[in-house]
Amino acid sequence: MHPELQSRLEQLGDDLRHGDVDRAALFWLKMFADQATTHGGSLRSDAWVDAGLAAARTLPGLDAAALAPRRRLVEHYGLFQFVRMKDSAVFAGTALAQLDWQRKYIVGLAPAFAADLPALRGWAERHWDQLGGVDPAFARLEDLLARYAPQGRAGLLEVLHDTQTIFGGWLPRPALERIAGGLGLPVADVYGVTEFYEMFYTQPVGRKIIRVCQDASCALAGADALTAGICRKLGLRPGETSADGEYTVEQVRCLGLCDHAPAALVNLRRYAPIDPARPEQLLSDEPPQPVQRIGGQLKIALANVGAIDPASLDAYYTQGGMAAFEKALQTMSPADVIAEVADSKLVGRGGAAFPAGQKWRLTASNPPGPRYVICNADESEPGAFKDRVLLENDPFRVLEGLLLACYAVGAARGFVYIRGEYRPGYERMAAALSTLEAAGYTGTNIFGSGFSCTIELRRGAGAYICGEETALMESIEGKRGFPRLKPPFPTTAGLWGCPTAINNVETLAKVPPIVLYGGRWYANLGTADSSGTKLFAVSGSVRRPGVYEVPFGIPLRHLIYDLAGGPHTGREIQAVLTGGAAGAFLTAEHLNTPLSFESFRAAGGTIGAGTVMVFDDTVDLRMVLARIGDFFAHESCGKCYPCQIGTQRQAELLGRLAQGTRISGDSIALIELGQVMTDASICGLGQAASLAIVSARKRWPELFE
């Protein structure tokens, strides 16, 4: 072989092995060598292309239609000579960059290498056997698409998650184009989804993405200092990637780790709590092991948490696990299950407090046809982390509750939609679901009952709006998480236009004991208008942040002081934000208020999803309000202008308030903005984005003066 040809082929081989050139370039070289050998040493360019396109049909994952690999092969390595058929113009060396691939040429090796065609063919064959024509990442993508192609668009988010892992943390354009083709979608639709969700990246990022939470509980614990420290150590600013491609630092919204503040994720591995004075902990391979605090007076949903191995179905059996589902299949009709849930007076534990029995009855009463049940585990609001505790510590109970809901409404498919940041919860639920499938609790004709049901997991990707039920359904369907106009409500036209019941994690975790012991047993707990128990996630300025389950009716003081330990020595409670970022403020004067829907309503608070954030007298509430404003401005999906523009403007006004640069009229503007967003926004995000601000202005008007 000519020494120069050998040198150029060695460079091509190195580039192929290091991924600097697409493997399709090797395919085109092999096709040239094969075809040129057959045709006496040269061939027409159109014949070369036609033969390559035909051969590529048998090679899944090889994008032979892409011009870039063929052009790179021809222009970069100086192997070829092209003679234009129109006028016999010769192109070689640097002139190959001027080729018009729409014209026809006679293609051969450069004259100095013409005698080495057999050697070139042998080289191409050997490297083809070693490397193939498809990059290993694209080969894995083909396997992935083979699994999800039958689902079409509905498989898109799962494919994007797994593809991003395959390609080292981001989504190259060729991969997105292949996903579009594999799922039968326009490329623009795929890009529309990737740009909507925060956890998808279409540009290279660090191999390790450090996400530091910025919301109130973490801010109080030193998140700003932690961010500054890790950025200083890496020589970066937030949003930047290190020169070696190892790290990207991001400031993100609530990670659902408020009881372990300040919190961060490195990729999806938890580092919480982190000492702000020791940011180098984020670079360690050994994250902290936080203490999980759970407690309460009467544990129903939390009964198994910390008491059994959450990965063991046998351990779940020892606590009566799956007995409720078996009882329902053997002795109860679907209507009987709905009746028990209705008798229990169980209402949604995700914030809306809609009666669960009524929701199931509405879903089941529709004409025959497909029905669905969804477990909403997209817990993303600042201060909320109770569902995370259940997903990770009692997954079988959540899945049993979902199976009971499916049985009650006649749904053959159920879904669990888990926020993307909850990777441990997703893995724990996936393992539990696999165990239940192996034990026969899902599938066709379960235990000979005639009931068939499958459960599927779906991952969110960093969009708080997907906690809204209709946006969540859009996401499961493989779309951007835009909320739908209501009516129609999901119980009539939900997932894929079919009747759908959507319930929170905690709601479903309460269902098995209700079915097992009866609705009246549960209704006798709590108060007349607020039955049962409630999980409260307590964080902020308390000694023992954690999740506590109590019967409705106990005083707020007991939750904060007796269970969560109260404020630190020498501190007094200044404010309690109930119901999350979209909730309302109470003060120390309200500590004797009973924890119930009716009592909180009368006091100007809200139970919501059970989020309780405590702020002592050292906290600047203007900072807290500014963080709330930033959260909603960041999370607004942008579908409707009142919310999109209103949350941005609200954040600006609250930012000025926190910085002490307020101008005349800001206070009135905040109230007017809130009224417009509440009245005109499509969904609950915009409708509730100003509630905490309006509540704070009512409690502490001097903050706004």
Side-chain angles (χ1 to χ4, degrees):
M1 183 183 291
H2 192 289
E4 184 60 28
L5 175 60
Q6 184 171 351
S7 174
R8 295 178 186 184
L9 289 177
E10 286 176 356
Q11 180 62 55
L12 173 59
D14 288 342
D15 290 347
L16 287 166
R17 281 186 288 272
H18 294 126
D20 296 331
V21 62
D22 195 305
R23 300 282 180 93
L26 178 60
F27 167 79
W28 284 110
L29 180 63
K30 180 177 180 298
M31 288 304 304
F32 167 79
D34 291 345
Q35 295 294 312
T37 299
T38 303
H39 292 84
S42 63
L43 72 158
R44 287 172 47 147
S45 58
D46 55 337
W48 181 27
V49 172
D50 289 344
L53 293 176
R57 295 193 187 102
T58 62
L59 298 171
L62 176 63
D63 186 8
L67 178 59
R70 193 178 347 134
R71 176 176 283 170
R72 174 73 182 272
L73 172 68
V74 169
E75 296 177 5
H76 192 72
Y77 298 99
L79 304 175
F80 299 97
Q81 174 179 282
F82 279 57
V83 180
R84 191 161 58 200
M85 295 179 66
K86 175 183 178 182
D87 55 8
S88 298
V90 177
F91 296 83
T94 57
L96 290 169
Q98 303 170 18
L99 290 176
D100 179 357
W101 286 87
Q102 300 300 315
R103 295 187 178 276
K104 295 180 177 62
Y105 302 85
I106 299 298
V107 185
L109 287 176
F113 309 146
D116 290 315
L117 179 59
L120 173 69
R121 188 182 187 190
W123 185 94
E125 290 284 357
R126 288 193 303 275
H127 282 73
W128 181 264
D129 291 340
Q130 295 171 10
L131 302 175
V134 181
D135 185 282
F138 280 94
R140 291 171 62 192
L141 175 57
E142 288 304 311
D143 292 339
L144 184 65
L145 288 172
R147 293 206 316 269
Y148 284 100
Q151 297 185 23
R153 182 188 290 273
L156 178 57
L157 261 69
E158 289 299 298
V159 169
L160 290 173
H161 274 294
D162 290 343
T163 301
Q164 189 159 268
T165 300
I166 289 170
F167 285 91
W170 70 293
L171 297 162
R173 182 178 180 86
L176 292 175
E177 291 174 344
R178 180 67 195 106
I179 289 170
L183 298 181
L185 301 173
V187 175
D189 281 13
V190 175
Y191 266 97
V193 169
T194 61
E195 296 303 319
F196 180 85
Y197 295 94
E198 190 170 274
M199 294 179 71
F200 294 139
Y201 301 90
T202 55
Q203 297 296 325
V205 291
R207 287 178 288 276
K208 295 180 180 178
I209 303 174
I210 300 174
R211 300 178 172 97
V212 183
C213 179
Q214 300 298 302
D215 280 301
S217 292
C218 287
L220 296 180
D224 289 344
L226 176 60
T227 304
I230 192 62
C231 284
R232 187 166 52 249
K233 190 164 189 65
L234 295 175
L236 302 174
R237 289 180 294 182
E240 292 183 343
T241 299
S242 57
D244 61 1
E246 185 67 16
Y247 293 103
T248 296
V249 177
E250 292 183 347
Q251 293 175 297
V252 299
R253 311 318 305 180
C254 186
L255 295 174
L257 296 168
C258 315
D259 50 339
H260 306 308
L265 296 180
V266 179
N267 290 344
L268 292 176
R269 196 177 185 189
R270 291 174 185 158
Y271 283 69
I274 292 292
D275 183 352
R278 298 181 58 204
E280 66 276 5
Q281 289 180 291
L282 293 171
L283 308 182
S284 168
D285 289 332
E286 298 182 2
Q289 299 299 317
V291 175
Q292 178 174 270
R293 296 186 183 90
I294 63 107
Q297 290 181 328
L298 179 61
K299 296 179 183 177
I300 295 177
L302 291 180
N304 296 336
V305 176
I308 65 171
D309 178 1
S312 170
L313 181 57
D314 284 340
Y316 186 55
Y317 285 147
T318 66
Q319 300 298 311
M322 306 312 296
F325 184 52
E326 292 175 10
K327 174 185 176 182
L329 293 182
Q330 295 167 6
T331 67
M332 301 174 72
S333 69
D336 292 336
V337 175
I338 293 175
E340 291 292 356
V341 173
D343 288 346
S344 73
K345 300 182 182 178
L346 175 68
V347 300
R349 297 301 198 235
F354 190 85
Q358 183 178 348
K359 179 181 289 187
W360 292 8
R361 187 170 284 125
L362 289 170
T363 305
S365 65
N366 280 279
R371 298 185 180 91
Y372 304 100
V373 178
I374 301 172
C375 173
N376 184 348
D378 192 54
E379 180 182 54
S380 307
E381 189 162 15
F385 51 91
K386 65 179 178 64
D387 292 342
R388 167 178 60 80
V389 170
L390 290 174
L391 293 172
E392 295 175 14
N393 294 279
D394 203 359
F396 291 109
R397 178 189 291 272
V398 178
L399 290 170
E400 184 178 8
L402 179 56
L403 284 168
L404 284 163
C406 289
Y407 177 70
V409 306
R413 290 175 73 188
F415 294 87
V416 185
Y417 186 94
I418 305 175
R419 69 174 297 194
E421 294 87 346
Y422 280 4
R423 183 68 185 186
Y426 172 80
E427 292 175 350
R428 183 59 56 79
M429 291 291 286
L433 179 57
S434 178
T435 302
L436 288 180
E437 290 172 350
Y441 287 101
T442 65
T444 303
N445 191 22
I446 300 170
F447 300 139
S449 65
F451 173 61
S452 301
C453 185
T454 58
I455 304 295
E456 302 172 38
L457 303 186
R458 292 290 186 272
R459 284 170 283 181
Y464 166 72
I465 188 62
C466 289
E468 195 277 335
E469 59 184 8
T470 62
L472 185 153
M473 292 187 295
E474 291 284 296
S475 188
I476 289 178
E477 291 178 11
K479 305 171 188 174
R480 290 176 288 180
F482 283 154
R484 303 172 183 173
L485 287 171
K486 294 185 288 190
F489 293 97
T491 53
T492 301
L495 197 60
W496 295 297
C498 299
T500 304
I502 302 182
N503 292 110
N504 172 260
V505 171
E506 181 189 349
T507 310
L508 292 173
K510 299 287 178 62
V511 171
I514 288 172
V515 171
L516 204 56
Y517 304 121
R520 292 185 180 180
W521 161 79
Y522 189 80
N524 285 332
L525 303 173
T527 70
D529 294 323
S530 301
S531 70
T533 62
K534 180 76 187 79
L535 301 188
F536 288 93
V538 185
S539 63
S541 306
V542 291
R543 296 174 186 268
R544 296 188 292 271
V547 177
Y548 300 95
E549 184 171 11
V550 296
F552 280 115
I554 71 162
L556 178 61
R557 181 184 301 275
H558 176 68
L559 175 67
I560 293 176
Y561 278 87
D562 298 336
L563 299 178
H568 294 277
T569 303
R571 302 302 181 199
E572 298 292 333
I573 290 179
Q574 176 185 190
V576 181
L577 179 57
T578 64
F585 283 97
L586 297 178
T587 69
E589 298 175 357
H590 300 98
L591 288 174
N592 292 325
T593 303
L595 286 166
S596 67
F597 293 107
E598 62 273 19
S599 297
F600 264 49
R601 194 180 306 116
T606 177
I607 294 293
T611 300
V612 176
M613 302 175 72
V614 180
F615 305 106
D616 66 25
D617 51 6
T618 67
V619 176
D620 183 350
L621 291 182
R622 292 171 298 182
M623 178 277 292
V624 174
L625 296 176
R627 301 272 175 166
I628 292 173
D630 288 342
F631 173 80
F632 284 116
H634 180 268
E635 296 294 346
S636 174
C637 74
K639 180 174 183 177
C640 64
Y641 284 118
C643 177
Q644 179 191 36
I645 305 301
T647 54
Q648 296 290 336
R649 181 67 174 142
Q650 177 176 267
E652 293 170 9
L653 295 172
L654 292 171
R656 287 209 296 262
L657 179 69
Q659 295 163 11
T661 57
R662 182 185 65 84
I663 62 177
S664 177
D666 278 1
S667 180
I668 299 300
L670 279 170
I671 300 303
E672 292 177 346
L673 271 174
Q675 291 173 341
V676 171
M677 287 192 290
T678 299
D679 293 342
S681 296
I682 288 177
C683 81
L685 189 153
Q687 294 164 10
S690 68
L691 295 184
I693 286 78
V694 172
S695 172
R697 188 175 183 271
K698 177 181 177 182
R699 302 292 186 198
W700 304 282
E702 65 276 7
L703 288 178
F704 298 81
E705 294 174 356

